[in-house]
Amino acid sequence: MKKTKQKNIGFKRLTVMLIVILLMFAAYNLVWYFLKYQPYHRLCADFQKSDEGLRGERYSYSDTDYTYSIKMPAYLSFEGGFISVSSNKKISQYSENGAEVQQSSCTIFIWPQIMKETKYGAAIFEQDNSYMLYIDKEINYVANDSELPSETKSNEEIISNHYNEISEIMNAVDKMWGDI
């Protein structure tokens, strides 16, 4: 009789532990879904799935002017996931005699947040250089805490030189989704 009671107590404890673990897993899934997945999912409702992998699905849409891509966060990961919008045209700069001096292009990266402010980045590709710089919604450079003042000034100048390109893409983002 004693062994049967001990078996029942052990079985009940195991059952309670499994139920608690399952409830915790379900809660983690819900938190992830509403805080990480949903902000991206609502943005790609009309997009075509372009890739599916272990690190999350990708959706894309192109029109004549811009390519919009959404990389969904991987299942249960609070890292990863982003939106990128790039212009389908190259910007050329010319010298005084009309010769092409440099071609450049720009891509905007967006990391939507539920509880925090949305983060933005600008990837700028020039003929000989490329830059990945954080910006805010108003296209101001966001400096890194460990950055030297000379680096900040140089990066602000890069953003200023490409302000029109970045602004056009940010306007396309607003037209596509409004305020993210």
Side-chain angles (χ1 to χ4, degrees):
M1 190 72 158
K2 227 177 192 184
K3 269 191 170 179
T4 307
K5 273 190 174 183
Q6 284 179 339
K7 268 187 173 180
N8 284 341
I9 290 172
F11 181 74
K12 286 180 183 179
R13 283 184 184 164
L14 183 61
T15 303
V16 168
M17 281 181 22
L18 286 174
I19 289 171
V20 168
I21 289 171
L22 286 173
L23 288 174
M24 287 173 44
F25 183 69
Y28 187 83
N29 270 274
L30 285 172
V31 168
W32 173 81
Y33 180 79
F34 287 109
L35 293 183
K36 193 63 181 176
Y37 183 80
Q38 193 59 29
Y40 290 91
H41 184 69
R42 69 181 173 81
L43 298 173
C44 66
D46 298 328
F47 285 25
Q48 181 177 349
K49 188 183 286 190
S50 58
D51 186 24
E52 186 169 353
L54 295 175
R55 299 189 187 267
E57 304 166 333
R58 291 180 187 267
Y59 294 84
S60 63
Y61 169 78
S62 285
D63 59 25
T64 56
D65 297 321
Y66 301 99
T67 298
Y68 305 85
S69 299
I70 298 176
K71 196 300 197 163
M72 303 295 282
Y75 178 61
L76 296 184
S77 172
F78 283 90
E79 298 295 320
F82 60 85
I83 297 166
S84 68
V85 180
S86 52
S87 176
N88 291 337
K89 58 185 172 187
K90 301 281 187 233
I91 306 298
S92 295
Q93 296 176 355
Y94 298 93
S95 67
E96 289 179 15
N97 67 0
E100 185 176 71
V101 177
Q102 177 173 297
Q103 268 198 345
S104 65
S105 65
C106 184
T107 299
I108 297 297
F109 288 89
I110 306 165
W111 297 274
Q113 310 288 316
I114 287 281
M115 305 273 206
K116 299 184 256 177
E117 190 174 324
T118 297
K119 295 180 181 179
Y120 297 86
I124 299 167
F125 306 97
E126 296 176 343
Q127 214 159 359
D128 298 327
N129 297 305
S130 61
Y131 310 93
M132 180 63 188
L133 305 171
Y134 287 105
I135 59 174
D136 62 17
K137 185 147 176 75
E138 287 75 38
I139 313 176
N140 298 307
Y141 174 66
V142 177
N144 185 331
D145 292 338
S146 62
E147 201 169 272
L148 296 173
S150 61
E151 292 174 312
T152 300
K153 184 174 177 162
S154 173
N155 290 337
E156 286 173 343
E157 191 174 301
I158 293 165
I159 294 297
S160 177
N161 290 341
H162 295 275
Y163 182 86
N164 291 338
E165 295 168 70
I166 296 169
S167 180
E168 286 179 19
I169 296 172
M170 292 293 268
N171 288 336
V173 167
D174 284 340
K175 285 179 187 172
M176 177 62 78
W177 294 295
D179 194 27
I180 296 179

